[in-house]
């Protein structure tokens, strides 16, 4: 017979989404890449931490390969 482990109130809060968001402190309201003059550039996107880069909206133009002549 299997027993069920009781969860503490804190563990239950974490399961229900009360944990701190991994995107806290990231500029999730901005769209990075070419566009309007108020949008941050691709260069600004690449200066973000790796964690924040996963939380923001970015143009595919920021991932274009650069070729050497």
């Amino acid at each position: 017979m299997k027993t069920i482990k009781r969860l503490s109130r804190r563990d239950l809060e974490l399961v229900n989404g009360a944990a701190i968001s991994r995107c806290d402190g990231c500029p999730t309201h901005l769209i990075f890449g070419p566009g309007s003059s108020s949008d941050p550039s691709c260069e600004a996107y690449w200066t973000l931490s790796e964690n924040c880069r996963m939380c923001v909206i970015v143009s595919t133009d920021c991932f274009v390969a650069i070729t050497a002549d």
Side-chain angles (χ1 to χ4, degrees), residues 1-68:
M1 175 182 225
K2 281 191 158 186
T3 59
I4 297 175
K5 179 183 174 190
R6 290 183 151 229
L7 295 175
S8 70
R9 185 174 300 274
R10 179 66 184 143
D11 289 339
L12 186 57
E13 287 173 353
L14 292 175
V15 170
N16 287 330
I20 297 172
S21 169
R22 40 181 255 145
C23 294
D24 281 354
C26 298
T28 56
H29 62 287
L30 298 174
I31 299 173
F32 290 81
S36 74
S37 60
S38 63
D39 289 332
S41 66
C42 290
E43 290 80 15
Y45 169 76
W46 289 108
T47 62
L48 293 173
S49 69
E50 185 176 341
N51 181 60
C52 283
R53 285 196 305 258
M54 291 190 273
C55 295
V56 299
I57 298 172
V58 61
S59 169
T60 56
D61 294 332
C62 294
F63 298 96
V64 175
I66 300 172
T67 58

